[in-house]
Amino acid sequence: MTLERWRPVLRLWAPTPYATAFRNQTRCLHSTRPSHPIPSPRPFVPDVETFLKLIGRGLSRYASKFPSWDSLFSLTGPELQQLGIEPTRNRRYLLRWMQKYRKGDLGPGGDFEYVKDGEAILKLALPPADQLKQTKFVVNVPHPEAEVAEPPKLLPRPMGYTVRGEKTIAGPYAMPLPQSGVSVKVTEGMWEQRRGRKIDGGERRRSEVLFKKRSAERRAQREADLLSRL
């Protein structure tokens, strides 16, 4: 048997210069991927327990698993699974809200600047007298029981809260105060994104479920007719 006949077979086993160069240049990309930045707490979201309470779905029961703010926002999906965050949809929901928080995409109260013990006070305000259009708007004022070194010159205008009528403040979780203004407190599930409810088994099983329902109704009707004839 000549060497020319075996040359194609030997060529498959012999490493080519291109394959050797490619093998030497490969590396693990996941080891060089930068970690997600850790955002700072906010007045309305000062700690992990409050954050989990706001996003809802019962995640506040896992607050003891995260010793600090940085420990929560530095975890990944597999690490959350090792901590016992189950089922998978809860881990995905938590990771999604962590990313939304990093981007500043928050729910009601996320832009409050004056908060004390999870409560913010909102009141009505008027623009300066030199403006022609005297339109009332809502501002976040310091809490009456909070110690403020000096009164703020500019009060923040929170998103999602408007004036209705003469002196009514409307917005999510706004509770009127006895004298004036409203109070907004941290509430369980305040930022929760509700899960959809499947009707008739959902989109994929709707035909099957409706068929079984109609069959059961016809069977019940036949049985009722037989009993009425007896």
Side-chain angles (χ1 to χ4, degrees), residues 35-57:
S35 58
H36 290 293
I38 298 177
S40 301
R42 296 172 179 259
F44 201 64
V45 196
D47 49 34
V48 174
E49 184 178 0
T50 305
F51 176 72
L52 297 178
K53 184 177 181 179
L54 286 171
I55 64 178
R57 294 199 182 180

Side-chain angles (χ1 to χ4, degrees), residues 49-196:
E49 184 178 0
T50 305
F51 176 72
L52 297 178
K53 184 177 181 179
L54 286 171
I55 64 178
R57 294 199 182 180
L59 293 177
S60 56
R61 66 181 182 271
Y62 300 115
S64 59
K65 296 181 179 292
F66 309 105
S68 65
W69 180 269
D70 293 357
S71 65
L72 170 63
F73 281 89
S74 60
L75 294 175
T76 60
E79 292 171 340
L80 290 175
Q81 185 178 13
Q82 293 177 1
L83 289 176
I85 310 299
E86 297 290 348
T88 305
R89 62 172 177 267
N90 282 352
R91 294 196 299 272
R92 292 176 179 173
Y93 179 74
L94 178 56
L95 290 171
R96 185 164 64 249
W97 257 113
M98 289 163 60
Q99 189 63 18
K100 286 168 67 68
Y101 189 92
R102 291 187 183 98
K103 296 179 180 180
D105 185 9
L106 309 177
D111 54 352
F112 291 163
E113 295 185 13
Y114 301 104
V115 183
K116 179 177 174 57
D117 299 332
E119 181 183 20
I121 304 298
L122 307 181
K123 291 191 175 183
L124 297 179
L126 285 172
D130 56 352
Q131 292 191 12
L132 297 178
K133 191 175 182 180
Q134 296 291 310
T135 303
K136 297 179 182 179
F137 53 88
V138 182
V139 294
N140 175 213
V141 301
H143 199 280
E145 300 178 1
E147 296 181 359
V148 182
E150 57 181 75
K153 297 181 180 179
L154 186 63
L155 294 173
R157 299 177 60 176
M159 298 292 293
Y161 294 89
T162 58
V163 181
R164 292 183 182 176
E166 290 293 328
K167 54 180 180 179
T168 302
I169 299 177
Y173 298 89
M175 301 298 296
L177 294 174
Q179 297 179 354
S180 63
V182 298
S183 168
V184 181
K185 297 182 179 181
V186 173
T187 308
E188 177 74 31
M190 193 172 180
W191 295 358
E192 182 175 350
Q193 296 175 344
R194 306 290 180 180
R195 290 196 297 265

Side-chain angles (χ1 to χ4, degrees), residues 214-227:
R214 288 192 292 265
S215 299
E217 291 174 358
R218 289 194 295 266
R219 189 182 307 111
Q221 184 64 36
R222 288 195 299 269
E223 292 175 357
D225 293 341
L226 290 175
L227 292 175

Side-chain angles (χ1 to χ4, degrees), residues 197-214:
R197 184 172 62 90
K198 290 185 177 181
I199 300 176
D200 294 330
E203 186 175 353
R204 291 182 298 177
R205 300 182 59 244
R206 184 168 300 162
S207 299
E208 177 185 354
V209 172
L210 290 177
F211 174 77
K212 291 181 178 179
K213 281 186 176 181
R214 288 192 292 265

